[in-house]
C-alpha cells in the first residue's frame, strides 16, 4: 500500500482541511477586494461577537447530531432563559452577572434534561419532542415577558459583560471550544457519544448505556442554549420573547457545513468551528463584494445546499471508484 | 467427572414474548478446546450466545465459570469475566477508526485522558499478530466484512478474553479468507483460549473443532466428539430426520425456454452473467455469500440498474427499468430478506398479498381500492400456500419465519401473469417443518409450468431441488451442471476462487 | 382452493364498536368539543357566527396540513413550506402591483408553490442518500432568501389592488369561502389517502420503503408527487393568507411548517411514517384553530397558545408508545 498520501487525498479526505482551505481562499479574496480593510482586529472581533450565539450552540448541536438526533427547541430555550434573567433584572433589580449566568445555565440544563428524558425513555422522535418544547419554551417566554421587554437601561450592568469591546463573549467561546475539543477527542465520555451515533445497537451490546448518553447530550445542548440566552441579553442589551426566532436552522446549517452528518457518528469540534466561522465570514464579507445584506440568506442557503449535494457526489464518485477497483 | 471445564451452562430457558427461544439447554466448554455449536437456523444458537455474553438474561438455568456460578447483568459483566463474542454481522462502529473499534469500552485512560498513541501502538501489535492488511487509523466502514471480523477478533484479544465466541465467522468469507481465519483460531487455541464456534459449514467444524454440540428447535440434542460422529449422523441430529425425505422433487417434463439473460454486468458486483430457465424447470444458482447472485437478480428485476445486458422472456427481449416492468414481463422476485424486502410487517397479510395487483383490481378513474375483491384474492392465495394464520388481517409480524415466507410466495402467486419465479434464499431462517412445505410449494409450481430460479447457499437444498445448477464466484458464472453430474464437492470447487475456466458453457 | 391441511383463513372484516369508540379520532372529537365548551364559557363573543367570521385568519395553514399529512405518511418531512408561503406571497404581491388580472395572480401564487415543491422533489429523488430534513433546510433558506432579495431593503411588500383578494377572503352566507374550500380539500385528500390504491401506496412507502420498491411501487414517483403537492398547497395557503393580510414581509409564513406538522402529529400521524389518517388531522386542525380564536378573544397574548400546542404535541406523540408498553406488559404477565 502507498504509505504517502497524495496532497489531493489529504484535501478531499478530510472535511476540516478542505474547509480550512476554502476559508483561507475566501479570506484572501475578500481581503483583496476590500483593499486590505477586511482583516482588521475590529472586524474579526465583530465576526465572532455577532455569531457568538450560533458558535456556542453549534457545539451542543454537534453532540446531538452525533447521536443522529436534532434539537430545534434551542432558540426557544434561549429566549425563555434570556427572558427570565432579563425580567429578573428589570423587575427584581437582580444584577449579579455571575449569578445570572449560573441561573441561565441551570434553566438551560433543566430544559435540555426534559428533552433527553422524553426522547430516550419515551422513544419519541427527536424532531417531534424538540418541536413540542420549541413551542412550550417560546410560549413561556411570552408569558414571562407579560408583554414587556427588558431593554438597554434595565440590563445596563449585565450588558457590560457582552458589550462591544468587552472580552466576555470571547472568553466564553474560547473556554467552550477548548473544553469541547478535549472532551470530544480525549475522554471516554466524548467517545461514547460518537459510539452511540455510529451504531446504537452495537453500543448497547458493548454495555454502553445509550439512554444515559442521549440524556447527557440533550442536557449539554440545553446548558449551552441557556448560556446563549444570557449571552444574548448581554450582547444585545435587551431581552425580547421573540429573540433569535428561527435561528436554530443557522446552528444546524453551521454543523452541516462543518461536516457533521445527520445520520450520526460523524463530525468534529474543529469542523463545527470552521463551519460556523465560514457562515460568519460569509455574512460579513458579502457587503464587501457589493452584495446587500439582504442577499445573505439566499447565499447561505445556496452554500448549505451546495455543500451537502457536493458531499453526496464526492461520496458517489469514491464508491464508484472503489467498485471499479474490485477485481472480478 | 473431573473434566477441566471453563464454562458450563445448565437448564437454560429463555422466553421471548410468545416464543420459547431456548428450552432447558445445557453446554460444557473445556479449557483450551474449540467447540462447535451447530443447528439449523432458528435452533436457538444465537440466543444462546447472547445469554452467555449477558445480552439476554435467561428466565431459568445456571451458568458456571471456572466452577463458580455467575450472573451477568449485562454485556459488560461478561467482558470483564473474560468472555468475548464476535457476532455474525460485525457489530462495529462504521464511522470510527479501527483502533477505536478495538478499544471501545476499555480505552487506555490516564488522568481522565484517552491515550491515543498508546492505543494505536497496541492496536498495531494486535493487527500484526493477526497478520492484518490494514492500519489502525483506517475507518471501519471502509473495510471489507472479513477485515471487520478481524477487528472484532482483535477486540476480543484486547480484552484478554479467555473464552471467545465466533458466530458464523466464515459465512461471508472467501476460501482464502476462511483459511486465514482457521490459522488464527489455531493460534488462539495454542495460546490457551477456549473457543465456541458456530457455523453451518461442515468443513469448518471438521477443520477446527474437537467436539460439537447440536441444538434443534430450541432444545439441546447432544454433544459429540467430532472424530466419532459421521456427517449423516450429525445432519440427522440437526434436522431431526433423514435428509432424503426433505426434498419432494417432482419429475416434471421440461418445456421451452421461458427466461434468459445475456451478458448482464454491473461494475463492482457482477460481470457478463448469462443463464436461462425452461418452463417447469428448477434451476439452482449457488456460490459463496458475496458472489453476486442476489445483485444480479436484483438488477434483472429493476431494483438496481445494470450497466449492460439483455433479458428475454419467452424468447422476446424485455426492457426493464423498474420492478413494475419486471412484474409486467412476468418475472417475480422473492427477495432474500423477507422481513425488510418482502413484507410490510406492520400490515395485515391480505394487504401484503394484494399489494402488487391492487391497481389491476381497482375501480374507476381514481383507482378506488376494490376491497371485497382484494379480500377474496388474499384469502384464496393465503390458503393455497397453507399459511398458518387465523384471519387475513393478522399482522405479518405475528407469523413465524416460515409462514412469512409463505405469505411472500402468495404475494408472487397472486400475479397471474407470472412466468418466472426467482426465489432468493427462500428457506433462510425457516424452521424444518416449514422448509419442507416451501419445497413442496416449489415443486407444485414447477409442475404448473413456471420456471424457477432457486438462489441458495445451502448445498443440500440446491442438490435436492434443482434440475440444473449454475455456480457463481466473484460476480461471474463459473459453471453449469446437470443434476446428475453435480456433487457437493464439485459445486464448492466451482464456487471457490480461481475456478473460472472450469465448467461448461453457461448457456446451453 | 384450500391448502393441503384444509385450513381456512377468515376474510370477513370486523370492526368492533369498542375499537371505534376508543380510536384516536373519537378522542380528538372529545377534545374538540371540550375546546368549544371552554371557549363559550370563558368568552361571551365565542359564538358560532363570530368563530366563523374570525376563522379565515387561521384557516390558511390547514390547506398545507393535508399535503403535509401525505409527506409524513411517506416518512418524509418538509420544513421549507413556511418559506414557500413567503415566496409565493411575495411574488403574488409583485404580480398584483404590476396590474396583472386576478386569475394571473392566483396562477402565480400557486405556480410558485408548485415550482418550489417540484424542486424539493427533484432533489429528494435524485439525492436519495440525503435526509429530506436537510434538503428542505437548505431550500427553506433559499426560498426565503429569494423573497428577501426581491422585497428589497424595506423587507415587505403589499398588494396595491386589494379588491380581488378581499373577495377571496370574503364570505358566502355565514361561511368564509376558505372554509368551503378547506372542506372540499379535506374530502379530496381524505378520499385519496383512505380509499384509493395511491393512498395505500403512500402507506407502503412510509411503512417500508424497501418492501414497497420490491412490490413494484414507484417509490420515487410517489415522493416527487408528494413534495410537489405540499409545495402547491403552500401556494394555496399563501393565497388565502394574502386575502387576510394583503401583503407579505420577511417573516411571512415563519413557523408554519412546524404548525402544520404539529397539527398532523396531534391528529395521530406518526413522523416515522405509515401511520395515521387525515380525518384525525382535520379534527386536530380545527381544534387548534378554535383554540386560537377562543384565546384570542380572551385577549391573552396570542403566544400563550404555543405552550398548549407544544404540550398537546408531546403528549399526543407519547400516547401510542405508552399504550404499546402497557400492552407489552400485559402480554408478559399473561405469558407467565
Amino acid at each position: 500500500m502507498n504509505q504517502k498520501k497524495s496532497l489531493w487525498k489529504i484535501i478531499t479526505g478530510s472535511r476540516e482541511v478542505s474547509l480550512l482551505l476554502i476559508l483561507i481562499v475566501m479570506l484572501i479574496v475578500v481581503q483583496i477586494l476590500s483593499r486590505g480593510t477586511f482583516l482588521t482586529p475590529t472586524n474579526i472581533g465583530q465576526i465572532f461577537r455577532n455569531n457568538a450565539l450560533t458558535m456556542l450552540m453549534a457545539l451542543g448541536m454537534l453532540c446531538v447530531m452525533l447521536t443522529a438526533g436534532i434539537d430545534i427547541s434551542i432558540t426557544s430555550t434561549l429566549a425563555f432563559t434570556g427572558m427570565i434573567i432579563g425580567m429578573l433584572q428589570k423587575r427584581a433589580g437582580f444584577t449579579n452577572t455571575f449569578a445570572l449566568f449560573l441561573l441561565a445555565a441551570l434553566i438551560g440544563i433543566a430544559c435540555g434534561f426534559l428533552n433527553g428524558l422524553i426522547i430516550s425513555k419515551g422513544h419519541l422522535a427527536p424532531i417531534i419532542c424538540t418541536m413540542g418544547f420549541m413551542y412550550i419554551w417560546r410560549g413561556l417566554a411570552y408569558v414571562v415577558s407579560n408583554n414587556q421587554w427588558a431593554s438597554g437601561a434595565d440590563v445596563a450592568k449585565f450588558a457590560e459583560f457582552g458589550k462591544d469591546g468587552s472580552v466576555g463573549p470571547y472568553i466564553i467561546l474560547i473556554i467552550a471550544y477548548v473544553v469541547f475539543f478535549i472532551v470530544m477527542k480525549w475522554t471516554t465520555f466524548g467517545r461514547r457519544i460518537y459510539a452511540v451515533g455510529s451504531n446504537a445497537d452495537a453500543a448497547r451490546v458493548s454495555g454502553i448505556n445509550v439512554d444515559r448518553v442521549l440524556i447527557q447530550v440533550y442536557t449539554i445542548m440545553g446548558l449551552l442554549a441557556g448560556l446563549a440566552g444570557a449571552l444574548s441579553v448581554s450582547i444585545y442589551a435587551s431581552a425580547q420573547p421573540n429573540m433569535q426566532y428561527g435561528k436554530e436552522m443557522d446552528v444546524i446549517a453551521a454543523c452541516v457545513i462543518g461536516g457533521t452528518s445527520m445520520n450520526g457518528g460523524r463530525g468534529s469540534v474543529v469542523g463545527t468551528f470552521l463551519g460556523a466561522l465560514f457562515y460568519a465570514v460569509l455574512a460579513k464579507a458579502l457587503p464587501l463584494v457589493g452584495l446587500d445584506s439582504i442577499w445573505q440568506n439566499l447565499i447561505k442557503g445556496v452554500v448549505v445546499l451546495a455543500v451537502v449535494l457536493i458531499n453526496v457526489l464526492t461520496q458517489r464518485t469514491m464508491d464508484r471508484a472503489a467498485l471499479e477497483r474490485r477485481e472480478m | 467427572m473431573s473434566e477441566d471445564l471453563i464454562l458450563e451452562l445448565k437448564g437454560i430457558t429463555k422466553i421471548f414474548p410468545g416464543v420459547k427461544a431456548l428450552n432447558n439447554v445445557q453446554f460444557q466448554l473445556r479449557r483450551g478446546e474449540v467447540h462447535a455449536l451447530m443447528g439449523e437456523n432458528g435452533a436457538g444458537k444465537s440466543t444462546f450466545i447472547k445469554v452467555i455474553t449477558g445480552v439476554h438474561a435467561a428466565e431459568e438455568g445456571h451458568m458456571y465459570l471456572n466452577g463458580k456460578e455467575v450472573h451477568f447483568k449485562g454485556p459488560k459483566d461478561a467482558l470483564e469475566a473474560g468472555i468475548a463474542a464476535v457476532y455474525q454481522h460485525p457489530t462495529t462502529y462504521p464511522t470510527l477508526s479501527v483502533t477505536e473499534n478495538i478499544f471501545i469500552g476499555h480505552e487506555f485512560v490516564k488522568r481522565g485522558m484517552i491515550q491515543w498513541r498508546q492505543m494505536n501502538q497496541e492496536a498495531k501489535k494486535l493487527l500484526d499478530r493477526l497478520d492484518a492488511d490494514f492500519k489502525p487509523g483506517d475507518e471501519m466502514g471502509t473495510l471489507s466484512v472479513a477485515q471487520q471480523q478481524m477487528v472484532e477478533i482483535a477486540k476480543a484479544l484486547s480484552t484478554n478474553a479467555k473464552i471467545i465466541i465466533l458466530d458464523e465467522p466464515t459465512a461471508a468469507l472467501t476460501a482464502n479468507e476462511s483459511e486465514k481465519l482457521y490459522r488464527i483460531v489455531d493460534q488462539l487455541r495454542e495460546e490457551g483460549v477456549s473457543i465456541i464456534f458456530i457455523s453451518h459449514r461442515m468443513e469448518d467444524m471438521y477443520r477446527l473443532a474437537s467436539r460439537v454440540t447440536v441444538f434443534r428447535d430450541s432444545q439441546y440434542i447432544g454433544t459429540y466428539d467430532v472424530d466419532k460422529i459421521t456427517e449423516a449422523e450429525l445432519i440427522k441430529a440437526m434436522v431431526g430426520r433423514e435428509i432424503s425425505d426433505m426434498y419432494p422433487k417432482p419429475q416434471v417434463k421440461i418445456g421451452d425456454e421461458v427466461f434468459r439473460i445475456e451478458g448482464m454486468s454491473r461494475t463492482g458486483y457482477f460481470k457478463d452473467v448469462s443463464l436461462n430457465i425452461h418452463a417447469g424447470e428448477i434451476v439452482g444458482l449457488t456460490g459463496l455469500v458475496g458472489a453476486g447472485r442476489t445483485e444480479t437478480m436484483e438488477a434483472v428485476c429493476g431494483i438496481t440498474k445494470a450497466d449492460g445486458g439483455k433479458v428475454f422472456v419467452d424468447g422476446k427481449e424485455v426492457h426493464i427499468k423498474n420492478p413494475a416492468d419486471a412484474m409486467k414481463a412476468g418475472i417475480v422476485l422473492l427477495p432474500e430478506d423477507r422481513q425488510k424486502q418482502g413484507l410490510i410487517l406492520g400490515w395485515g397479510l391480505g394487504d401484503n398479498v394484494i399489494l402488487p395487483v391492487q391497481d389491476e383490481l381497482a375501480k374507476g378513474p381514481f383507482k378506488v381500492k376494490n376491497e371485497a375483491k382484494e379480500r377474496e384474492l388474499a384469502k384464496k392465495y393465503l390458503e393455497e400456500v397453507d399459511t398458518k394464520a387465523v384471519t387475513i388481517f393478522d399482522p405479518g409480524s405475528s407469523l413465524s419465519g416460515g409462514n412469512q415466507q409463505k405469505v411472500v410466495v402468495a404475494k408472487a402467486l397472486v400475479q397471474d401473469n407470472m412466468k418466472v419465479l426467482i426465489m432468493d434464499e427462500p428457506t433462510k431462517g425457516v424452521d424444518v417443518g416449514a422448509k419442507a412445505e416451501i419445497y413442496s410449494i416449489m415443486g407444485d409450481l414447477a409442475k404448473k409450468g413456471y420456471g424457477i430460479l432457486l438462489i441458495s447457499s445451502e448445498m443440500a437444498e440446491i442438490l435436492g431441488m434443482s434440475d440444473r445448477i449454475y455456480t457463481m464466484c466473484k460476480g461471474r458464472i463459473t459453471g453449469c451442471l446437470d443434476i446428475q453430474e453435480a456433487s457437493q464437492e464439485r459445486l464448492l470447487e466451482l464456487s471457490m476462487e480461481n475456478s473460472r475456466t472450469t465448467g461448461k458453457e453457461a448457456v446451453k | 382452493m384450500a391448502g393441503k391441511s384444509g385450513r381456512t383463513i377468515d376474510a370477513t372484516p370486523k370492526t368492533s364498536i369498542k375499537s371505534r369508540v376508543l380510536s384516536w379520532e373519537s378522542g380528538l372529537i372529545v377534545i374538540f368539543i371540550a375546546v368549544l365548551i371552554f371557549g363559550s364559557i370563558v368568552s361571551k363573543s365565542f359564538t358560532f357566527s363570530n368563530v366563523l367570521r374570525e376563522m379565515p385568519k387561521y384557516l390558511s395553514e390547514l390547506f398545507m396540513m393535508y399535503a403535509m399529512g401525505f409527506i409524513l405518511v411517506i416518512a418524509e418531512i418538509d420544513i421549507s413550506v413556511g418559506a414557500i408561503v413567503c415566496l409565493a406571497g411575495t411574488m403574488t404581491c409583485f404580480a398584483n402591483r404590476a396590474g396583472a388580472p386576478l386569475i394571473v395572480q392566483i396562477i402565480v401564487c400557486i405556480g410558485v408553490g408548485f415550482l418550489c415543491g417540484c424542486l424539493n422533489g427533484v432533489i429528494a429523488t435524485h439525492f436519495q442518500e440525503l435526509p429530506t430534513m436537510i434538503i428542505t433546510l437548505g431550500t427553506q433558506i433559499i426560498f426565503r432568501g429569494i423573497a428577501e432579495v426581491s422585497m428589497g431593503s424595506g423587507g415587505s411588500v403589499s398588494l396595491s389592488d386589494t379588491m380581488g383578494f378581499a373577495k377571496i377572503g370574503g364570505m358566502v352566507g355565514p361561511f368564509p369561502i376558505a372554509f368551503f374550500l378547506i372542506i372540499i380539500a379535506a374530502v379530496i385528500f381524505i378520499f385519496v389517502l383512505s380509499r384509493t390504491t395511491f393512498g395505500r401506496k403512500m402507506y407502503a412507502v412510509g411503512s417500508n420503503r424497501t418492501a414497497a420498491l420490491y412490490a413494484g411501487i414507484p417509490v420515487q414517483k410517489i415522493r416527487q408527487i408528494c413534495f410537489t403537492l405540499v409545495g402547491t398547497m403552500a401556494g394555496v395557503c399563501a393565497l388565502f393568507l394574502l386575502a387576510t393580510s394583503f401583503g407579505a414581509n420577511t417573516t411571512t409564513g415563519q413557523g408554519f411548517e412546524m404548525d402544520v406538522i404539529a397539527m398532523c402529529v396531534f391528529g395521530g400521524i406518526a413522523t416515522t411514517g405509515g401511520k395515521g389518517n387525515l380525518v384525525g388531522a382535520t379534527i386536530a386542525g380545527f381544534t387548534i384553530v378554535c383554540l386560537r380564536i377562543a384565546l384570542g378573544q380572551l385577549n391573552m397574548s396570542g403566544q400563550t397558545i404555543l405552550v398548549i400546542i407544544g404540550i398537546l404535541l408531546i403528549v399526543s406523540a407519547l400516547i401510542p408508545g405508552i399504550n404499546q408498553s402497557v400492552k407489552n406488559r400485559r402480554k408478559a404477565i399473561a405469558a407467565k
Side-chain angles (χ1 to χ4, degrees), chain B residues 176-477:
Chain B
N176 281 343
E177 288 166 340
S178 297
E179 190 50 45
K180 199 162 167 187
L181 184 81
Y182 294 156
R183 280 203 299 273
I184 292 171
V185 172
D186 284 339
Q187 187 190 335
L188 292 177
R189 178 177 44 200
E190 274 156 33
E191 288 168 20
V193 180
S194 313
I195 291 163
I196 305 173
F197 196 101
I198 298 183
S199 177
H200 274 307
R201 290 198 198 169
M202 293 287 171
E203 57 177 306
D204 289 349
M205 185 201 68
Y206 285 119
R207 169 72 172 73
L208 292 172
S210 52
R211 292 199 302 162
V212 53
T213 291
V214 176
F215 283 5
R216 187 207 319 146
D217 298 337
S218 315
Q219 285 177 330
Y220 172 81
I221 300 300
T223 301
Y224 316 94
D225 285 332
V226 168
D227 45 12
K228 286 188 192 131
I229 185 168
T230 65
E231 191 166 332
E233 283 168 335
L234 195 58
I235 289 174
K236 197 180 167 199
M238 280 162 61
V239 180
R241 60 174 116 170
E242 296 292 336
I243 197 83
S244 54
D245 58 3
M246 274 294 284
Y247 306 103
K249 172 84 183 84
Q251 289 310 309
V252 178
K253 199 177 165 296
I254 308 271
D256 295 334
E257 179 190 270
V258 283
F259 174 78
R260 183 171 85 241
I261 57 175
E262 280 178 11
M264 296 291 294
S265 296
R266 185 173 174 221
T267 311
Y269 291 100
F270 51 89
K271 194 155 190 189
D272 202 19
V273 175
S274 303
L275 56 79
N276 68 352
I277 306 171
H278 298 85
E281 187 182 32
I282 300 178
V283 175
L285 177 58
T286 189
L288 300 177
V289 171
R293 299 164 301 170
T294 301
E295 289 79 3
T296 310
M297 288 308 139
E298 282 184 346
V300 167
C301 294
I303 310 270
T304 53
K305 221 172 152 269
D307 300 331
K310 289 176 182 169
V311 181
F312 299 86
V313 175
D314 281 343
K316 279 193 280 295
E317 185 173 1
V318 287
H319 297 278
I320 293 167
K321 291 197 191 67
N322 53 51
D325 289 347
M327 291 176 181
K328 251 176 249 150
I331 307 168
V332 177
L333 174 70
L334 251 58
E336 182 177 10
D337 185 342
R338 62 189 155 267
Q339 305 217 340
K340 289 207 183 88
Q341 301 164 334
L343 290 178
I344 297 173
L345 288 178
W347 281 20
L349 308 178
D351 283 348
N352 268 301
V353 169
I354 54 85
L355 192 56
V357 292
Q358 58 161 355
D359 276 335
E360 290 154 37
L361 304 175
K363 295 176 285 194
F366 299 116
K367 297 264 179 199
V368 179
K369 289 187 276 191
N370 186 348
E371 297 194 23
K373 191 93 199 355
E374 287 173 3
R375 284 197 293 269
E376 189 187 310
L377 271 182
K379 178 179 160 70
K380 181 181 159 199
Y381 285 102
L382 283 170
E383 283 177 358
E384 188 169 330
V385 296
D386 204 16
T387 317
K388 275 191 199 125
V390 182
T391 77
I392 63 165
F393 308 104
D394 294 359
S397 52
S398 69
L399 300 187
S400 67
N403 278 293
Q404 285 177 353
Q405 189 65 39
K406 290 189 213 162
V407 177
V408 184
V409 173
K411 188 174 165 185
L413 292 179
V414 76
Q415 303 171 50
D416 51 15
N417 65 336
M418 176 171 83
K419 298 191 180 81
V420 188
L421 181 61
I422 300 167
M423 307 176 95
D424 194 350
E425 301 280 6
T427 61
K428 199 165 140 189
V430 167
D431 57 70
V432 186
K435 230 174 181 173
E437 287 181 61
I438 289 168
Y439 295 139
S440 116
I441 293 171
M442 209 185 285
D444 290 346
L445 293 176
K447 269 191 237 163
K448 285 183 191 155
Y450 296 112
I452 296 174
L453 184 74
L454 170 65
I455 304 178
S456 176
S457 309
E458 237 176 273
M459 290 296 167
E461 167 175 307
I462 285 276
L463 288 166
M465 289 307 293
S466 313
D467 294 300
R468 199 151 52 87
I469 301 162
Y470 287 96
T471 53
M472 264 183 101
C473 176
K474 285 205 160 184
R476 286 176 192 269
I477 295 275

Side-chain angles (χ1 to χ4, degrees), chain A residues 61-109:
Chain A
M61 192 61 83
L62 167 71
C63 296
V64 168
M65 288 174 71
L66 277 175
T67 64
I70 196 161
D71 189 344
I72 56 174
S73 70
I74 51 171
T75 48
S76 295
T77 308
L78 179 152
F80 179 55
T81 45
M83 230 29 243
I84 288 182
I85 63 164
M87 284 299 137
L88 268 180
Q89 294 168 66
K90 186 185 171 97
R91 301 224 186 96
F94 190 80
T95 55
N96 183 323
T97 304
F98 178 75
L100 285 169
F101 265 100
L102 190 66
L103 181 66
L106 289 176
I107 298 170
I109 286 176

Side-chain angles (χ1 to χ4, degrees), chain A residues 123-172:
Chain A
H123 304 289
L124 226 56
I127 181 142
I128 292 302
C129 177
T130 56
M131 187 193 287
F133 281 111
M134 177 187 87
Y135 283 107
I136 294 174
W137 305 134
R138 182 70 69 181
L140 286 180
Y142 279 96
V143 173
V144 170
S145 78
N146 202 10
N147 289 330
Q148 283 180 310
W149 291 3
S151 52
D154 305 320
V155 295
K157 181 156 176 287
F158 189 62
E160 289 287 308
F161 180 83
K163 70 170 189 196
D164 204 359
S166 155
V167 291
Y170 308 115
I171 290 176
I172 287 191

Side-chain angles (χ1 to χ4, degrees), chain B residues 7-31:
Chain B
L7 181 75
E8 184 176 18
L9 290 97
K10 275 186 195 161
I12 299 286
T13 297
K14 169 78 203 165
I15 303 168
F16 289 119
V19 219
K20 251 190 187 170
L22 290 172
N23 190 359
N24 191 23
V25 301
Q26 50 168 306
F27 185 77
Q28 294 181 329
L29 182 67
R30 289 181 193 147
R31 198 176 306 280

Side-chain angles (χ1 to χ4, degrees), chain C residues 88-155:
Chain C
T90 308
M91 292 305 151
T92 313
C93 287
F94 283 120
N96 178 286
R97 297 176 83 87
L102 185 62
I103 183 73
V104 174
Q105 295 173 39
I106 294 175
I107 291 172
V108 166
C109 197
I110 299 176
V112 169
F114 172 82
L115 289 178
C116 292
C118 222
L119 179 69
N120 280 333
V122 167
I123 300 175
T125 51
H126 286 82
F127 291 85
Q128 292 165 37
E129 300 96 321
L130 286 174
T132 40
M133 167 93 198
I134 204 157
I135 295 171
T136 52
L137 166 68
T139 55
Q140 174 211 36
I141 311 176
I142 294 177
F143 295 152
R144 197 171 287 282
I146 297 173
E148 283 168 7
V149 169
S150 38
M151 278 186 267
S153 48

Side-chain angles (χ1 to χ4, degrees), chain A residues 215-245:
Chain A
I215 293 177
Q216 283 164 346
V217 294
Y218 285 96
T219 307
I220 291 171
M221 179 77 257
L223 162 70
L224 291 176
L227 281 180
L231 201 56
S232 170
V233 174
S234 184
I235 288 178
Y236 301 108
S238 77
Q240 306 153 21
N242 65 343
M243 57 188 171
Q244 298 288 317
Y245 186 85

